[in-house]
Structure formats: structure tokens, C-alpha cells
Amino acid sequence: MRRNLFPPLLLAVIGCAPRAHVPPDHGYAKPLKQFDKPVPMRPELAAIGDAEARNRLDKGVRWAELGRADLAVKDFTSALEIRSGFAEANYNRGLAFAALGRWKEAVADFDRVIGSDQRHSFAYSNRGAAYSEMNQPDQALQDLDKALELNAGNQFAYWNRSILRLKSGNIDGAIEDAENGVRNSSNVAIAYTILGDAYLEAGRYEEARAAFEKAIELDPKYPGSYCGLAVAALRSGDTGRAVMLYRKAIELEPLFAQGPKRVEGGAMFSFANGSGTAKAKYWFSAKSS
């Protein structure tokens, strides 16, 4: 079996957004500990399979399931030392590097995967997310476009591109991608959180509210959705509800209570998945002062 340790990444956005790793059928409160389903290994790779390399790969997957991306990297590296060019190990190690914020190393591993399989849509969307984290939006957009060219149903690429477009000010494009993301993953909380964030920036507060409420229905433990709903309430003039919702976000993720600089930092982004945290923090500070 070809093991995809983490599913494709999500880009960080200016607000509650993190480096997210979100599969279609798991929870989302701790995005770095999510996994997509294994994909059958290509016959030609299975034919050259080495038992010990596969064992190291499986061990790395188990470490990742425990949230130990650092130890997962070591086992994926061991698998690659045993079998040079083991694309599954490169793919998974790239995602483990991404979980650790080691973006250049992640890009290098996704380069190797794409070199061996130029139709690997998820490798492109993951590499695009990593490029975004490295503040290389042109390369990121090119990879996300390619991911969708290869697989028009790649919801991760839609989510990633929506967030990238939102950051660049292309709000209409962000909404289009977010809506496509929902169509391709209608039971996934993060899809609605990203859609809500795009609607917020367009000033479509009722639609944003509905999207965030749907996200909360699907995953009541993810703080970013409460944060987004709080922003929608605040912009609609309902300060009391906004404060209540933001307190719920803080209850679920105490880092939300720290100062704006902390909220805007990478540590904050690693705990949240998708809607205006930093801006909300500034707004709430102004409202309460």
C-alpha cells in the first residue's frame, strides 16, 4: 500500500488560519494530526519493494499517528536509505517536515515525488502550500493550478487556493474556490470555515454566519469556526454575541487569549484552521477598551 501520511496542506491566512492537514473524514481541532486514506501502491513500485523499507515506512506512519512528526521523519529517512527513490517515503517525509515547519525540506521531498510521478495532484497541492508558507505566492499558485488541472476534485487544492487568493485580495476568486471546495467535501468542517472566511471579506455576513454555523455543527470542537462566527457577529453589530463566541474559541484554544503579536505568529497558526483570528483580536481589543 502506498501510504499518504498526512493529507494535503492548507495555507496560512491572515486570520485564524494555520498550516492545516485535513482529510475528508476526520476531526479538525488538531490539524497536524490528521491523515488521508492509503492509496494502493503502483504495481511497479510493489515489485521492487523491500520489506525493511516498508517496515520503516509503517513505523513512521505510526509515529505520525501519535503526533511525533520528528520521529516519523527519522523512520522515513531510514526507509529512503534502504530504498533510494522510495516515493511513498518522500511524500510522507515531506508532510512530516511540513508539520514541523521545515518548509524547504518539505518542498525538496515533494519535488522528488513529482519527479517520479508528474500526475501526483496532492504532491502539487502540498508543495504549493509549502511555497505559500515560504512567502512565494507565484510558485504556490502555479502548483495549486496544476493540482486542479490534474484532479478537478482535489478539495485540498481548492481550499489552499481560496486562502491564497484571499490573501492576495482576489475575493471573488477566493469565494469561487471555497464554494468548489464545499461541493467536493460537503461533510468537512474546514471547508465551511474557509467559505465563511471568504464571505466575511466580501461583506456577506449572513452567508458567512451560515457557513461558520455549519462548520460548528460538523465539528463543535474546532475553535477557528467560533472565531469566524464571532467576527461575523461583530461586523453585524451584535457585540454581545461576538464576545460570547470569542470566549468559546478561547476556551477551546487558550492561545487565542494571548496578545495580537502572538496571535499573528506561526505558533498561533499551528493551532487554528481558517478565519480571521488576528483581525478579530484587534477588533475585540478595540471594542473592550
Side-chain angles (χ1 to χ4, degrees), residues 5 31 67 92 132 168 208 253:
L5 168 58
N92 286 312
S132 180
S168 71
E253 179 43 70

Coordinates of all heavy atoms in Angstrom, one line a residue, residues 5 31 67 92 132 168 208 253:
L5 N 0.9 9.8 4.6 CA 0.9 10.1 6.0 C -0.1 11.2 6.4 O -1.0 11.0 7.2 CB 2.3 10.4 6.5 CG 2.4 11.0 7.8 CD1 1.8 10.0 8.8 CD2 3.8 11.3 8.2
P31 N -5.1 20.0 13.5 CA -4.9 19.7 12.1 C -3.6 19.0 11.8 O -3.5 18.4 10.7 CB -4.9 21.1 11.4 CG -4.6 22.1 12.5 CD -5.2 21.5 13.8
G67 N 1.4 11.9 16.7 CA 1.8 13.3 16.7 C 3.3 13.5 16.8 O 3.7 14.7 17.1
N92 N 5.6 11.1 2.4 CA 5.2 11.2 3.8 C 6.3 12.0 4.6 O 5.9 12.8 5.5 CB 5.1 9.8 4.4 CG 3.9 9.1 4.0 OD1 2.8 9.6 4.1 ND2 4.0 7.9 3.5
S132 N 3.7 28.7 -0.2 CA 3.0 29.9 0.4 C 3.5 30.2 1.8 O 3.7 31.4 2.1 CB 1.5 29.6 0.6 OG 0.8 30.6 1.1
S168 N -4.3 37.6 -1.4 CA -3.8 38.5 -2.4 C -4.9 39.5 -2.8 O -4.7 40.4 -3.6 CB -3.5 37.7 -3.7 OG -4.7 37.1 -4.3
A208 N -21.7 34.2 5.6 CA -20.6 33.8 6.5 C -21.1 33.1 7.7 O -20.6 32.1 8.1 CB -19.8 35.0 6.8
E253 N -9.2 26.9 22.7 CA -7.8 27.1 22.4 C -7.3 28.3 23.2 O -7.4 29.5 22.7 CB -7.5 27.3 20.9 CG -6.1 27.5 20.5 CD -5.2 26.6 21.3 OE1 -5.2 25.4 21.0 OE2 -4.4 27.1 22.2

